[in-house]
Amino acid sequence: MILTENLNVLWASVLFETLYRLGLRTVVLSPGSRSGPLAIAAAAHSHLEALPILDERSAAFFALGLVQQQGRPVALVCTSGTAAANFYPAIIEASLSHLPLIVLTADRPPELRFCQAGQAIDQVHLYGHAVRHYRELSLPELALLPYLRQTLCHSWQTALWPDPGPVHLNIPLRDPLDLRSEANFHGALPKNFFDQVQPFVPPRVVTSLPWQTWQQMQRGLIIAGPSHGVDSLAEATAIDRLSRFLQWPVLADALSSARGLPHGITHYDLLLRDAHLREYLRPEAVIQLGPLPTSKALREWLSTCDPLIWCLDPTGDNNNPLHGRCQTLAIAPQSVDCPPDPLPPNPYLKDWQDQDQRVHEQLKRTFEAIDWFCEAKLIYHLPQWLPSQTAIFVASSMPVRDVESVWRVSDRRHRFYFNRGANGIDGTLSSALGVAHRGQPTLLITGDLACLHDTNGWLITPQLQGCLTVLLINNNGGGIFEHLPIRQFDPPFETFFATPQAVNFAQLAAAYGIPYHCLQNWADVQTQLSLDPWPKIRLLEFKSDRQQNAQWRQQVLAQLGI
């Protein structure tokens, strides 16, 4: 429905109708006066879901979770002033993770800028190079509605191709900002105004691949980094087809769709901590898919070996932080057409598989002997304890590293979500809520600091249509810092790096009306996670000892690959 009460709401209605026809389905709005016409138009659109979220930072990270889950752009709306600045951390994450966002910031008209009019900052190019595209729209004019339509079509395309990411439209508006009538704009649009507005289909890019060179390599690896691929099954199938043809092992990040393939090596992070195996398994060639995995051991090993690397990335992004001998090929794994007949079995692949199985058996024995609350044991058992098709959002810092080291392969079709573009802890809870909204039952694995950093995310709960379980690993501080050299220096370590927070999570949950349970033992953990169905929202606290877990990782886990 096109609203016609005044020019501002007509302008906003045309904006959202155009975006809807391009493929938009969800609008996340934070309240404010200047953005009033945008809120009115979004709320009135019968085919758009408009979600009001108070905190702009939470709103933006919630939208990121939605983008990951839906596989399509989400629109973000805020009023003028510092409200727009609070979107910035999520926009940086969207940019680095290649996630499309349509950022719509309302603004004062030009005559009310730089004159102390109030709630007015310089919003021109506010997000700098973090956005793929910036436009300041003209003030609404009836004659400029075709210009508005075309600008939106171009912006939507830029958000999706050739390098998906956020786009920013700054929207100046004069009064009235509500539904007061100025004139009768009924019939202002021709009946065929939206006829040419169609969803954008990215073109298929054909890239030549060095098949002859790859087939001559006897010690080759496929390394798959974290992936936001919407069709994870198609992506995994393509990587599997490539590995079967070349007979190369697949070292896939736990957050990749390729983890668990027949030629997959699950425990490479532990294997590569052994000096003998680092030399014994030395590669001569690597096909890298997307960014490198999280594993520090893998990165250090590749830097030392300096193999030939071909990085396949559909955006042509520079995914080579090691600055080795790397050639980037702008192609997605799904677009790789393998030759029909696979190469003969490869002894190098068999060596990797034998070592991986050995560590798998060692891990099983090691965790069976542990009865205390070991964080890595928790991660190890989750694939078997979680219901099938659970969506899993993994926080940065220690959770993602434990997942990388010990997550087991299962047939339960779990899918991972994450914010690993900038690797920050901000917005973790809000993004997990976005993944859960109208999606699969979702588990958030988070530490205490990441959870506390985004407590305003709990305010989104009333909007949630779905269910989210927050598995809080509370070791009273930043566990990742226990593994850094600064740990040897206390002071200042405990106060300025570990930063323990004296927070009672039961009371915090009660303040937001969130059901809370403190896990008592391993049987309790399994019982709580195996519930079917899960409740809409809950907080499960897993209390662990930070120093004990760090010491165990350094003295036991690090030795398992040896």
Side-chain angles (χ1 to χ4, degrees):
M1 180 178 70
I2 300 297
L3 301 177
T4 59
E5 281 78 358
N6 62 54
L7 186 56
N8 283 338
V9 294
L10 172 63
W11 189 258
S13 288
V14 170
L15 181 149
F16 282 117
E17 179 62 22
T18 302
L19 290 175
Y20 165 71
R21 289 175 182 251
L22 289 167
L24 182 71
R25 294 296 178 268
T26 308
V27 185
V28 178
L29 308 101
S30 293
S33 174
R34 188 61 49 177
S35 55
L38 296 168
I40 291 166
H45 198 291
S46 58
H47 298 299
L48 290 177
E49 181 177 29
L51 297 167
I53 295 178
L54 174 65
D55 185 310
E56 286 87 3
R57 190 181 74 161
S58 290
F61 277 104
F62 178 81
L64 276 191
L66 281 172
V67 173
Q68 293 184 50
Q69 181 236 111
Q70 295 180 358
R72 66 170 77 230
V74 169
L76 265 176
V77 177
C78 73
T79 192
S80 61
T82 57
N86 284 291
F87 283 167
Y88 207 168
I91 288 172
I92 292 171
E93 177 63 33
S95 180
L96 293 174
S97 294
H98 305 280
L99 296 172
L101 277 178
I102 309 297
V103 183
L104 307 172
T105 57
D107 201 356
R108 295 274 191 167
E111 68 271 15
L112 293 181
R113 302 177 191 175
F114 308 106
C115 59
Q116 297 299 322
Q119 205 166 321
I121 66 171
D122 186 358
Q123 296 178 199
V124 175
H125 291 288
L126 179 62
Y127 307 117
H129 296 292
V131 292
R132 303 291 184 269
H133 165 89
Y134 167 82
R135 288 291 181 271
E136 168 146 318
L137 296 184
S138 73
L139 286 160
E141 289 186 31
L142 200 59
L144 291 180
L145 287 173
Y147 143 84
L148 173 64
R149 178 188 58 195
Q150 179 58 28
T151 302
L152 291 166
C153 290
H154 180 244
S155 299
W156 181 270
Q157 176 176 320
T158 305
L160 291 170
W161 182 85
D163 181 11
V167 298
H168 176 204
L169 299 177
N170 198 46
I171 307 173
L173 297 167
R174 292 193 178 109
D175 288 348
L177 303 172
D178 49 34
L179 285 167
R180 282 175 290 174
S181 179
E182 287 183 310
N184 185 3
F185 293 101
H186 183 70
L189 294 179
K191 290 184 178 180
N192 62 354
F193 184 81
F194 296 106
D195 283 0
Q196 293 302 313
V197 180
Q198 302 290 335
F200 172 72
V201 179
R204 189 176 189 271
V205 178
V206 179
T207 301
S208 177
L209 297 176
W211 290 109
Q212 186 173 359
T213 301
W214 290 348
Q215 292 176 64
Q216 293 171 352
M217 301 287 185
Q218 296 301 307
R219 298 175 68 83
L221 289 174
I222 297 171
I223 297 179
S227 171
H228 283 295
V230 177
D231 193 343
S232 56
L233 179 60
E235 185 177 65
T237 300
I239 297 171
D240 181 45
R241 190 165 54 242
L242 178 63
S243 70
R244 286 177 185 272
F245 170 73
L246 292 172
Q247 292 293 303
W248 289 8
V250 179
L251 278 55
D253 191 290
L255 307 182
S256 164
S257 62
R259 190 73 168 248
L261 293 178
H263 289 175
I265 307 301
T266 303
H267 303 299
Y268 62 85
D269 176 67
L270 299 177
L271 290 171
L272 293 176
R273 302 182 193 192
D274 173 31
H276 168 71
L277 288 178
R278 286 197 296 271
E279 184 60 33
Y280 179 65
L281 297 172
R282 192 182 189 97
E284 56 183 339
V286 168
I287 298 175
Q288 179 185 328
L289 307 175
L292 284 172
T294 303
S295 170
K296 182 178 180 180
L298 173 66
R299 293 178 179 224
E300 291 178 344
W301 180 63
L302 289 174
S303 182
T304 301
C305 296
D306 193 26
L308 294 173
I309 298 176
W310 288 267
C311 182
L312 276 56
D313 186 287
T315 68
D317 208 1
N318 179 9
N319 290 310
N320 182 24
L322 308 178
H323 309 301
R325 297 179 293 163
C326 179
Q327 179 182 356
T328 298
L329 303 173
I331 187 172
Q334 299 93 312
S335 300
V336 173
D337 294 322
C338 293
D341 300 320
L343 298 180
N346 187 342
Y348 184 61
L349 170 61
K350 181 69 164 52
D351 289 341
W352 272 101
Q353 291 173 326
D354 290 346
Q355 295 296 333
D356 195 45
Q357 182 61 31
R358 176 180 62 82
V359 172
H360 171 74
E361 293 168 359
Q362 285 181 307
L363 271 178
K364 182 179 179 181
R365 292 192 298 269
T366 299
F367 286 127
E368 284 175 350
I370 292 175
D371 58 1
W372 51 278
F373 264 13
C374 171
E375 296 166 10
K377 178 176 178 176
L378 172 67
I379 301 300
Y380 176 80
H381 280 299
L382 286 180
Q384 273 62 49
W385 289 349
L386 292 174
S388 295
Q389 299 186 30
T390 302
I392 304 167
F393 196 98
V394 185
S396 293
S397 295
M398 283 316 303
V400 74
R401 285 164 174 80
D402 281 340
V403 166
E404 175 73 347
S405 294
V406 303
W407 187 272
R408 287 191 285 174
V409 174
S410 80
D411 59 358
R412 298 199 175 188
R413 292 177 292 169
H414 300 138
R415 181 176 173 188
F416 285 102
Y417 297 88
F418 45 90
N419 289 337
R420 295 293 292 165
N423 299 341
I425 63 170
D426 41 351
T428 299
L429 174 59
S430 297
S431 288
L433 284 159
V435 168
H437 185 71
R438 301 190 186 279
Q440 294 293 110
T442 302
L443 177 77
L444 166 61
I445 308 171
T446 181
D448 49 307
L449 296 188
C451 187
L452 290 171
H453 204 275
D454 191 28
T455 52
N456 265 3
W458 294 118
L459 295 173
I460 302 173
T461 303
Q463 315 297 335
L464 175 64
Q465 300 293 318
C467 56
L468 174 69
T469 290
V470 177
L471 180 55
L472 168 66
I473 302 173
N474 183 6
N475 55 26
N476 195 30
I480 192 169
F481 294 108
E482 296 283 346
H483 300 271
L484 300 180
I486 190 64
R487 177 64 185 91
Q488 303 171 39
F489 304 93
D490 189 20
F493 174 77
E494 192 68 12
T495 302
F496 291 95
F497 292 87
T499 58
Q501 306 294 309
V503 174
N504 183 314
F505 280 94
Q507 294 177 356
L508 179 66
Y512 287 97
I514 305 299
Y516 165 88
H517 177 74
C518 183
L519 298 165
Q520 301 300 310
N521 50 50
W522 287 111
D524 188 25
V525 176
Q526 183 174 2
T527 298
Q528 291 295 325
L529 294 177
S530 301
L531 287 178
D532 187 20
W534 282 2
K536 175 180 178 178
I537 190 112
R538 58 177 169 161
L539 175 61
L540 302 179
E541 184 175 11
F542 180 93
K543 291 185 177 180
S544 59
D545 185 294
R546 175 162 35 96
Q547 286 82 14
Q548 182 185 22
N549 275 276
Q551 186 177 36
W552 182 87
R553 287 190 189 93
Q554 293 158 5
Q555 296 180 357
V556 179
L557 186 62
Q559 303 301 312
L560 284 178
I562 298 176

